[in-house]
Amino acid sequence: LLNSTSQSLPILMLANLFTPASVGFYVLARTVLFVPTTLIGTSVGEVFYPKFVEAVRQGLSGRYLLIKACISLAAIGCAPYIILIIFGPSIFSTIFGENWFEAGEYARWMSAWLFVVLVTRPIVAAIPALSLQGLFLAFEILSTLLRIAAIFVGYLWLNTALGAIIAFSLINIVIYAILAGWVIRKS
């Protein structure tokens, strides 16, 4: 719940700091990018989780399974996300019209973040099996504060909605990288 709320922070903050158009650009980019990320991530999570739980129950290290699953997801997601990072604005303006070019700019930066979300899907799925929920709650609280700060930094630094999205995306990459390192170490 906390993670979902903090992922929706840009909608509220962009509406208050910038224009309604910036919210529209963000929502379109997020909607388009979240569908494949969620679909692939959920499918992999459903297959990965039982295998991981069984390995942990048998007293085996889950580290190998986690790393293997993350590398597999990186291989699957690499090409589409690189294409979006390079051609996002052109793709969005071609599909949705020239007025949505800026949504493609948002998508460009959000793609890097959502690629990391996709790759770390097994990491998040492993948290309950490793009984790390209490620490994960503290991690999510800190992450939410960092996401809020990132949007303000982007706002103050570049004074544009795109700057806020860039900062938000970059902090999410850092957050998920730290989470991956932490869970892999615990596994």
Side-chain angles (χ1 to χ4, degrees):
L1 177 63
L2 189 57
N3 183 278
S4 294
T5 302
S6 70
Q7 297 299 338
S8 298
L9 282 171
I11 295 169
L12 298 171
M13 294 182 76
L14 289 173
N16 286 311
L17 298 173
F18 299 103
T19 65
S22 64
V23 175
F25 295 143
Y26 175 78
V27 169
L28 177 63
R30 180 179 170 204
T31 302
V32 169
L33 295 175
F34 263 72
V35 170
T37 302
T38 303
L39 181 65
I40 294 168
T42 301
S43 300
V44 169
E46 289 174 0
V47 172
F48 169 78
Y49 186 72
K51 290 180 182 179
F52 187 79
V53 168
E54 186 60 31
V56 170
R57 281 188 187 153
Q58 292 177 1
L60 303 172
S61 171
R63 187 172 292 159
Y64 172 75
L65 283 174
L66 277 174
I67 293 170
K68 181 180 174 186
C70 291
I71 289 171
S72 297
L73 284 171
I76 291 168
C78 189
Y81 284 106
I82 287 175
I83 289 168
L84 281 167
I85 290 169
I86 296 170
F87 301 110
S90 299
I91 292 170
F92 270 67
S93 63
T94 300
I95 294 172
F96 300 109
E98 284 298 318
N99 293 337
W100 295 98
F101 182 85
E102 191 168 341
E105 286 290 343
Y106 286 33
R108 168 180 281 165
W109 288 95
M110 292 168 64
S111 292
W113 151 42
L114 292 173
F115 173 72
V116 175
V117 168
L118 175 66
V119 170
T120 59
R121 182 66 184 198
I123 300 293
V124 175
I127 290 170
L130 296 170
S131 299
L132 299 173
Q133 297 95 322
L135 291 173
F136 186 57
L137 176 61
F139 181 85
E140 281 297 326
I141 292 168
L142 179 61
S143 297
T144 300
L145 296 173
L146 289 172
R147 288 177 177 124
I148 292 169
I151 292 172
F152 276 120
V153 166
Y155 168 70
L156 296 172
W157 178 42
L158 294 175
N159 200 26
T160 65
L162 180 59
I165 295 303
I166 290 169
F168 184 76
S169 296
L170 292 176
I171 199 65
N172 274 302
I173 291 168
V174 171
I175 287 167
Y176 280 97
I178 291 169
L179 178 64
W182 173 60
V183 172
I184 288 171
R185 189 170 45 93
K186 293 287 187 180
S187 68

